[in-house]
Amino acid sequence: QLLSQLSSDLKIICLNESCLDLLGAAQHELFGKDIADLIMPDSIDRFLESAKRSKDRLLAESVEIRVKHAAAAEPLDLLWRME
């Protein structure tokens, strides 16, 4: 299970080991980074809209996004759930 904690302005506070392994990065490399920096440009708007709906309605929201991997040439496709 991939778990992350983001601040209200979508900065990374914490990622569990599974997230770090998937992204190919260490906690210290990502702490405080804007989550949008990890998301592919074609997925950013979809992610931000979903995050806003989740926050406004206080409901869980899932969104399909493409994220960058530190060492992989191709992005990863994920289903991101916000609660």
Side-chain angles (χ1 to χ4, degrees):
Q1 187 172 11
L2 305 173
L3 300 172
S4 64
Q5 184 178 6
L6 305 176
S7 66
S8 61
D9 60 349
L10 301 178
K11 303 279 191 246
I12 297 170
I13 295 173
C14 184
L15 298 172
N16 72 355
E17 287 298 319
S18 295
C19 277
L20 296 171
D21 290 345
L22 183 80
L23 297 171
Q27 190 78 247
H28 72 275
E29 295 173 305
L30 299 177
F31 180 80
K33 192 170 192 169
D34 192 315
I35 192 67
D37 293 341
L38 301 179
I39 300 173
M40 297 300 293
D42 62 352
S43 296
I44 290 175
D45 288 343
R46 191 169 46 251
F47 177 84
L48 294 175
E49 289 167 9
S50 184
K52 183 176 180 351
R53 281 193 306 270
S54 178
K55 183 179 176 183
D56 289 350
R57 292 191 239 152
L58 300 175
L59 295 173
E61 177 95 16
S62 296
V63 62
E64 289 183 34
I65 59 171
R66 298 173 69 220
V67 297
K68 301 170 188 172
H69 183 280
E74 294 294 318
L76 306 168
D77 294 324
L78 298 178
L79 181 64
W80 191 293
R81 183 167 173 87
M82 291 170 260
E83 297 183 359

